[in-house]
Structures are given as structure tokens and as C-alpha cells.
Amino acid sequence: NMKNVTTRAIVIEDYEVINEWRKKWNATYTPKLSELPDEGLGGIMLEVDGVPVAVNYVYTTNSSMGYLGDAVSNPNFRPKDRFEIGQVLIDACVKRASDLGCTYIWTTSILESVIERYKKSGFHIAKEKETLIMKKINNVR
């Protein structure tokens, strides 16, 4: 029996809260607002009984391809039904991506529980041996 689970747009006041979650999870990387979609507002916050419990960002590109990334949860919130609650967040992100004009959306994860949630939301899971290749570009702005 799920509690009062709602989703909403991220607001700027969430940024510090989200960064505190990252610290508690010992995250090795904390994105700056300029590195997040819509200056940190481009995603979905999941709440249970009005308490923020998880966030995921919806990245758009100059095509109809979107990306879900930088998800993090409140480390102090660990209910028995967190699998179902996480499902609500994924589905809300898919809807936002669709509203933004995406026809494809993708993400990556190493966590089996996360992969299971995406599978339940109709994502195709491709477990290939790929290496993520990334470079930080130092732009002067």
C-alpha cells in the first residue's frame, strides 16, 4: 500500500538538498547548476508525504534523443516499498521527456535494482561490454 507519492518539477531550493544527499552517499562528483539540464531545474523530484526522497534529471539534445541522469535519493529514506516508489519517478521522467519532444530516451546504471525498475517501465536492456568515454572541456565563460 503506497503512501502519498507525488512528483513535481525541481525548484532551485532543491539544489543544496540534492547535494547533501550526494555527500551522504559519498558521491565522487557533484554537478554544477550549469552542468544540469535547465540550470538545475530540468528534472523531476519525487516526494512521499511532502518529503523529497529522490530526483532524476531529463537531458535533451539537439535531436529527439533524451537522456536520464544524475539520479540520487535521500539516504535517510528507506521504505520497504522503495522499488515501487522509484518506478513512479522513472515513469514521470519518461512523461517529461515525451512532453519535451523526445522519441527515444536512454540511461545507464550498474545497479541491478535500478535496471529492474527501468525494465518494468518498458526500457530495452542491452548488457554489452561498453566503456563510457567522456572528457571535461574547460570552456571559458
Side-chain angles (χ1 to χ4, degrees):
N1 202 9
M2 274 214 282
K3 300 163 189 66
N4 182 21
V5 179
T6 55
T7 58
R8 63 168 172 79
I10 297 169
V11 294
I12 197 66
E13 292 79 15
D14 291 327
Y15 184 66
E16 290 307 319
V17 173
I18 294 165
N19 285 345
E20 283 304 310
W21 295 350
R22 289 189 200 288
K23 270 186 210 142
K24 287 184 181 157
W25 284 115
N26 297 316
T28 55
Y29 169 70
T30 299
K32 297 184 190 100
L33 285 170
S34 63
E35 296 166 344
L36 292 166
D38 299 327
E39 296 290 314
L41 304 180
I44 302 289
M45 176 64 81
L46 179 77
E47 293 183 333
V48 175
D49 295 325
V51 177
V53 297
V55 68
N56 204 355
Y57 293 90
V58 181
Y59 289 82
T60 56
T61 66
N62 61 352
S63 72
S64 66
M65 180 75 72
Y67 174 75
L68 300 182
D70 292 304
V72 65
S73 64
N74 180 339
N76 302 321
F77 186 81
R78 304 196 141 210
K80 290 189 297 292
D81 54 0
R82 74 175 182 260
F83 188 92
E84 290 81 7
I85 290 169
Q87 200 76 50
V88 172
L89 180 58
I90 291 169
D91 293 340
C93 287
V94 170
K95 183 185 181 325
R96 177 172 168 87
S98 175
D99 292 347
L100 292 169
C102 294
T103 55
Y104 280 92
I105 189 122
W106 66 284
T107 192
T108 59
S109 183
I110 58 169
L111 301 172
E112 283 301 323
S113 63
V114 171
I115 293 165
E116 268 314 301
R117 284 187 192 104
Y118 277 98
K119 202 183 286 184
K120 271 202 161 83
S121 286
F123 281 69
H124 169 74
I125 309 302
K127 288 205 171 192
E128 302 297 327
K129 292 265 188 235
E130 291 184 20
T131 300
L132 180 63
I133 303 168
M134 191 165 107
K135 179 177 183 171
K136 180 170 175 31
I137 302 170
N138 294 310
N139 285 331
V140 179
R141 289 189 191 178

